[in-house]
Amino acid sequence: MIASGRERGFMMVSNILLIIFAIVWLMPFVTILLSATRTQGDLISNGVFSIPKSIRWENFVDAWNTGGFTDYFKNSLLLILFKVPLGILIASLAAYPLAKMQFRGRGLIFIFFLIGLAVPVQVTLQPLLVMMKDLGIANSLAALVPPYLAFGLPFQIFVMRGFFRLLPNELLEAARVDGASNTAIFFKIMLPLSLPALATLAIIDTLATWNEFLIALVLISGKASRTVPVGLLQFQGEFSSQYTLLMAGVLISILPVLAVFVFLQKYFVAGLTGGVKG
Amino acid sequence: MPASLLKFFVTVSPMAGKHARVIRSATPWLFLAPAVFVYSMFLVGPMLFTLYTSFYEWDGLSDTMIYVGLRNYIDILFNDEVSQLALRNNLLWTAGAVTIPTLLGLLLAVGLNSVSPVKKLLRTLYYMPAVLPLISVGLIWGWMYNPHFGVINVFLRAVGLEQWAGGWLSSYSMALPATFITYVWSHVGFPMMLYLAGLQAIPREQYEAARIDGAGLWSTFRNITLPGLAETHVIVLSLAVFNGFRVFDLIYTMTYGGPGRSTHVLGTWMYFQTFQYYEAGYGAALSWVIAAIVLVVAIPYIRRMSRD
Amino acid sequence: MKLTQLGTTKLLLGTAASLMMLAANAEAQEKIRFFTIFDATQVELWTPVIEAFEAANPEYEVELETVAGSGAAVYPDVLRTSMASGDPADVFFMWGGSIAQPFIDAGQVKELSAEYDAHGWNDRFPPWIRDRLSSDGKIYGVPYHARGMGIWYRKDMFEEFGLSEPASYEELEGMCQTLADNGKYCASFGGKFGWHTMRLVDYFLEDTCGAEVHDAINARTDTWDQPCVVEAFARLQKWVDNKWLVPDFLTVAPNDARMPMYLGDAAMVYEGPWFERVLAADEQDSSNFEFFLPPTPSGRYHAFPEQWMIPAGAANPTGAAVFVDWITDAENQVNWPATFAGSATIGVTPDCGEQPHGCKWAEILGSDRGTYPPTDQAFSKELIDSFFEAQDSVVAGRMTPEEAAALIQKRVEAAM
């Protein structure tokens, strides 16, 4: 790298700024950590932002046990394992003809999907609950899958379509000449070549599914099928809040998604390129 | 035997070809079918149901529904002070959402566009707020903004900006901007990621050519980086518009529409009407107003994106 | 041969018998869906109660469903959705008055006169609570809690500044001034959601308007733009202007409002009997806290019931009534004093050694001293939000007390 002194100075300043800025960005997390590792009395009598008198790691165990997080984690994990791949598969299936086939109504159907980005989730809660009841799956984990799929599709189709469009047509033509069916082309060529985009969507969708609150709150009232974010609510009572346990619960709850994010970050950046170029 | 088989194929091939053409026109729909089914049933369906109820006066609980025609829409647009205030807040919010996190995201992306592990860590840090569950975002920022013991005020007093300290969220004029700061904090990671992706797509050679021509940092940024990100801008800005008009969670948890009704947006007002005032018809109409506005703003964008 | 045959027969019979038992069990084990606002602590307190009920009534299986969350914010929203979709629980928790009214008006809850007679509930609860739960002479709920509200204070701060419980509003003002002169705040409130600030305004209204007019304006048979209402809002303004209240509290969460008191910066909060449990949970020395009923000429105090309701569309209304009967029975409640602290059932009094404040509350709530409801249980949610808007505007100095009173009257008229 050849850089003039002035440029190097500029880089230095910008890097320092980025680090300072990141520390400010982290402040709320520091608060959460401070609150999660002390006693409720210490937090309340000495103030949220004071230094803890003593560190209390037991909060994490207490939060896990009194909150019954074993079930919530199991439910959220199950949901992600089932919903995320299924959603991305459905979106990719739809994105393939939108990107690579000529047919009547293609533009229209794409717009039809994008309209979904304009729909406020909260308005569909009541009709959704009625539907789930009619389907006989209200109050079960299964009730969350259809709405999560439906609300995830517009963005996912949009990204996948963009990525598929980047794949050279010659590749597909060659496969066709070799006698490959569209299904074979999709599974053997399109999907393997789109791994980065798929990983990107997997991260975004895992995050969205893991943190979704409103639909899960309304569609599931039983403890057995509850998910993690709704489970956190029980530390906020009618007249008082168990702040320390809540914060410990929050930290526990973000660990899995954070791990997924850190682990798949390289794909994340590479993957969105396709969507952007599309 | 193989010969007859071959013959069979040869003879049926015109038919097979015809058949293939038929398949060719049905194939796209077969691929689209699962998505169209799930999406129509669980998103479009409920939305159409609310379109129907938006022409009624209905408490959302009983069987009595009174047809009122367009009255709910007329009230929203002309008679309801809160929905007008909410619309104004939505416009301000969207204007903010389109500019500030986008700009910050762009700057962060340019600054962090490197494979160094430190920058990778920084990227994670900036994206982390998006990982937090909503309930904790409301609580933590409520504490940070707390007029009495909140760290923001403590800091302002400590650095001598006493006059700035105060009830950020309790002030009619500051509550919305203060909530928006939280929004920036939690949403800057997304445009950053999109821009980082966009930056990867700009060919290296362009930068090298510019360097050989002796272009400075600023002129490189202006002449290569910005134009190279044109497609990304469209995506980032459009998503900001979509999300700006649909904003709900953050305001619901942080201010609950208060103080007074000063921070209501269409999303929260719709929620209040439907779930708290038992005006499900009115709430439904509000949700269609939200959708209509977003679509009108977004149609040019959708057109552009669906062009070949 | 014979032996094996016998064995087979036995086996078959045994299998049949156990199958029949299973079937009988499956038939008899009716589910009772129990929908509540319980948080993690309350769930812990209620689990043994539910187990005991199931042991005493093996034909029922109780399924506890909870939606926690601060105050009357999240729970009613979820409840409403489950009702509207035709999938209600069998028993659910509800506040009294106008919060329950939409469900009554929509015909979503069961009228319980028959159950009251059948289970002998008529003499089980104090008359004021029954009255409060009745609507047009019909009764739709069974009392759970009797909740009073009063001003809790730090004894050490009262001692330090030579204060004692006031006998009149004027004395209370004097105390606030003393505290302010010493750099302390008089009271702390959390204005988010509106209902916390409302407690103070309600007290002002009771004091300025008197019992009769206060009841009349709550019932909307008298107007809100009258001098005593203006005076009540003027007091609110005075409390803000004189810095008697911890400032900038309009969007502070109610559960956070007590922190300035714990920090020793404010002397009082406006809370109910539950505050004893809160103090314990917050690891405070509860002997340093005491409460008094805010003084009024009428002698009345703030009180509201909480109740159990049975949806009209409940799948198991009979089981629901049996369950409600069991959990409101004094004989059962005495076994779990912590779970049933503040119970509305007559004859269930807390241990005065262990819960001195609860004991004092039980005495007050069981007395024939008059009560007035919090306004959010007298007004519909839409109307109470106008009330909150008025009080927020006064606190922020955006409206004069006259304008605030006029605004409420305008909205009351519009809602008629």
Side-chain angles (χ1 to χ4, degrees), chain C residues 19-31:
Chain C
L19 270 177
M20 272 167 70
M21 265 174 68
L22 261 178
N25 240 348
E27 206 184 330
Q29 268 244 329
E30 285 179 45
K31 228 181 242 173

Side-chain angles (χ1 to χ4, degrees), chain C residues 76-90:
Chain C
D77 304 355
V78 179
L79 178 69
R80 194 205 75 106
T81 317
S82 73
M83 288 265 191
S85 69
D87 188 34
D90 295 305

Side-chain angles (χ1 to χ4, degrees), chain A residues 166-248:
Chain A
L166 283 184
L167 301 178
N169 283 327
E170 299 76 47
L171 211 65
L172 274 70
E173 288 310 319
R176 269 207 194 97
V177 169
D178 288 349
S181 68
N182 270 313
T183 320
I185 292 175
F186 176 76
F187 283 106
K188 300 234 170 82
I189 299 176
M190 304 294 276
L191 283 192
L193 285 179
S194 310
L195 271 180
L198 295 173
T200 300
L201 286 189
I203 291 171
I204 295 179
D205 203 34
T206 301
L207 201 89
T209 309
W210 187 268
N211 271 350
E212 201 287 328
F213 177 72
L214 207 54
I215 297 179
L217 173 71
V218 170
L219 293 192
I220 290 179
S221 53
K223 192 170 162 29
S225 311
R226 192 155 281 172
T227 57
V228 170
V230 182
L232 286 172
L233 201 62
Q234 56 179 330
F235 296 120
Q236 251 183 346
E238 195 187 347
F239 300 117
S240 65
S241 302
Q242 290 173 283
Y243 300 111
T244 53
L245 295 191
L246 174 63
M247 290 309 174

Side-chain angles (χ1 to χ4, degrees), chain A residues 6-278:
Chain A
R6 221 183 69 188
E7 281 181 13
R8 210 172 297 153
F10 179 80
M11 289 298 199
M12 183 98 95
V13 171
S14 91
N15 285 346
I16 289 169
L17 278 176
L18 281 168
I19 289 170
I20 292 174
F21 211 46
I23 291 169
V24 174
W25 232 242
L26 266 186
M27 278 304 296
F29 286 92
V30 174
T31 315
I32 294 178
L33 193 65
L34 282 180
S35 312
T37 50
R38 65 208 301 185
T39 65
Q40 173 107 346
D42 180 16
L43 171 90
I44 278 177
S45 316
N46 300 317
V48 175
F49 301 98
S50 62
I51 301 299
K53 286 236 165 70
S54 63
I55 299 294
R56 200 185 131 79
W57 298 109
E58 295 96 306
N59 283 344
F60 292 98
V61 181
D62 290 352
W64 185 275
N65 290 335
T66 50
F69 270 86
T70 315
D71 280 344
Y72 306 147
F73 257 75
K74 216 169 61 196
N75 290 333
S76 281
L77 284 174
L78 252 173
L79 196 62
I80 282 171
L81 287 178
F82 186 70
K83 189 268 149 178
V84 174
L86 185 64
I88 293 174
L89 176 68
I90 294 177
S92 309
L93 281 170
Y96 173 40
L98 288 174
K100 289 290 177 200
M101 292 182 200
Q102 293 293 342
F103 62 100
R104 278 166 68 96
R106 184 170 80 152
L108 220 60
I109 199 84
F110 182 52
I111 290 181
F112 173 68
F113 279 122
L114 284 186
I115 285 173
L117 285 171
V119 173
V121 178
Q122 58 282 29
V123 75
T124 60
L125 291 175
Q126 190 166 326
L128 278 177
L129 186 53
V130 175
M131 289 172 90
M132 295 312 148
K133 201 193 137 226
D134 290 346
L135 290 172
I137 52 172
N139 219 350
S140 76
L141 207 53
L144 297 182
V145 176
Y148 283 7
L149 286 177
F151 278 93
L153 280 175
F155 175 74
Q156 292 168 349
I157 290 178
F158 174 54
V159 171
M160 283 319 291
R161 173 182 168 274
F163 200 88
F164 284 161
R165 276 154 63 105
L166 283 184
L167 301 178
N169 283 327
E170 299 76 47
L171 211 65
L172 274 70
E173 288 310 319
R176 269 207 194 97
V177 169
D178 288 349
S181 68
N182 270 313
T183 320
I185 292 175
F186 176 76
F187 283 106
K188 300 234 170 82
I189 299 176
M190 304 294 276
L191 283 192
L193 285 179
S194 310
L195 271 180
L198 295 173
T200 300
L201 286 189
I203 291 171
I204 295 179
D205 203 34
T206 301
L207 201 89
T209 309
W210 187 268
N211 271 350
E212 201 287 328
F213 177 72
L214 207 54
I215 297 179
L217 173 71
V218 170
L219 293 192
I220 290 179
S221 53
K223 192 170 162 29
S225 311
R226 192 155 281 172
T227 57
V228 170
V230 182
L232 286 172
L233 201 62
Q234 56 179 330
F235 296 120
Q236 251 183 346
E238 195 187 347
F239 300 117
S240 65
S241 302
Q242 290 173 283
Y243 300 111
T244 53
L245 295 191
L246 174 63
M247 290 309 174
V250 165
L251 281 183
I252 296 173
S253 85
I254 64 172
L255 283 181
V257 260
L258 211 56
V260 169
F261 178 76
V262 172
F263 180 65
L264 293 174
Q265 210 203 122
K266 52 184 173 194
Y267 294 113
F268 189 94
V269 171
L272 274 171
T273 313
V276 170
K277 280 305 275 181

